[in-house]
Amino acid sequence: MFNVILLGFGLFQIAYASRLNLYHRILVPSNPSLSSKYSYKGYVDLETLPVSSLQALYTPSNDLNREFTSLLGVVETDSSALYQVALELPDVAVELWPMSSVKACHLHHAKSERIWLHTSSASSHDPHSITYWILETPDDGLCRTVPSSSSSGLDGHKHPNRVLDMPSWNTTVLVKSPSSPLLAQLRVPPPLTPEGKPVQPEVEKTFIQKYWMHIA
């Protein structure tokens, strides 16, 4: 009976280790009181990660839209707001979770997001850091006009309220392991004489020098 319990506990630990929970929040550096706490974003399943593939299965939270709606108002009130995605680490304080930030204003135009989970080796499924970005981010990184139902936009006209359907985003999660650069191909050093000087190649003899005895 005890062995069965140990086996079950071991399988639970393996399943838990293969599931990585992601959390997100809005951080306002200029006004911390407007910042939100981390809420559950979804999880990444590394157990189904194919050996020949780097892309992992991502499942968003069932309450993602409801939880995220409360964060949207902050985005419209402060252009310095940041959207942060963090990787939960067991037995580690929230403040120490690895996270990645983007400008929160880009969320209103987002349709695709990409997440990189960095591991220490190709065989390891224990990520230690995370990289996040929104594919629709402008090249210059500047915030665009954010429509709002409570105030006029920058063009002076009223805009209908926009609801972000985050679960419908195209989310790609890639597991990245460190790669070694190509080794430089060094040239073979020339042979040296006992005096340490390069060995000079022998000067090839001319036709006359080679066959003079036959000509004579």
Side-chain angles (χ1 to χ4, degrees):
M1 181 65 181
F2 182 72
N3 292 335
V4 174
I5 296 177
L6 287 179
L7 177 60
F9 180 73
L11 293 176
F12 172 79
Q13 283 188 316
I14 294 174
Y16 183 80
S18 64
R19 170 172 169 163
L20 303 175
N21 294 324
L22 301 179
Y23 288 78
H24 61 171
R25 70 175 179 181
I26 296 294
L27 178 68
V28 186
S30 61
N31 193 349
S33 62
L34 295 178
S35 301
S36 64
K37 295 182 179 180
Y38 276 117
S39 60
Y40 181 58
K41 176 179 175 67
Y43 72 90
V44 179
D45 186 5
L46 296 183
E47 187 176 5
T48 59
L49 181 66
V51 177
S52 59
S53 175
L54 298 176
Q55 186 168 347
L57 178 63
Y58 169 74
T59 303
S61 168
N62 294 330
D63 299 326
L64 187 58
N65 268 345
R66 179 180 60 82
E67 295 176 353
F68 196 71
T69 300
S70 61
L71 309 180
L72 296 182
V74 179
V75 179
E76 299 180 0
T77 59
D78 197 315
S79 59
S80 68
L82 299 174
Y83 175 61
Q84 296 184 329
V85 177
L87 172 65
E88 180 191 22
L89 296 181
D91 303 324
V92 175
V94 175
E95 296 77 12
L96 300 179
W97 287 354
M99 63 84 186
S100 182
S101 302
V102 296
K103 288 185 177 180
C105 60
H106 299 317
L107 294 172
H108 292 272
H109 308 282
K111 296 180 181 178
S112 304
E113 58 183 353
R114 182 161 293 181
I115 303 171
W116 280 7
L117 300 176
H118 303 274
T119 62
S120 57
S121 65
S123 59
S124 172
H125 283 176
D126 188 17
H128 57 80
S129 63
I130 182 173
T131 301
Y132 176 89
W133 69 89
I134 295 174
L135 298 186
E136 288 74 23
T137 301
D139 293 337
D140 56 14
L142 298 178
C143 296
R144 300 294 186 252
T145 302
V146 179
S148 175
S149 60
S150 58
S151 60
S152 299
L154 297 181
D155 56 3
H157 296 85
K158 293 287 185 178
H159 297 275
N161 187 34
R162 294 185 60 187
V163 177
L164 298 184
D165 188 15
M166 187 172 284
S168 68
W169 287 5
N170 181 12
T171 302
T172 303
V173 179
L174 299 177
V175 179
K176 304 284 288 185
S177 58
S179 57
S180 301
L182 296 177
L183 297 178
Q185 295 183 356
L186 302 179
R187 297 179 60 183
V188 178
L192 301 177
T193 64
E195 291 77 18
K197 297 181 179 180
V199 176
Q200 298 297 330
E202 295 183 4
V203 180
E204 185 178 359
K205 295 180 179 181
T206 64
F207 180 82
I208 299 298
Q209 290 174 329
K210 290 180 180 180
Y211 305 106
W212 65 270
M213 70 288 294
H214 302 289
I215 298 175

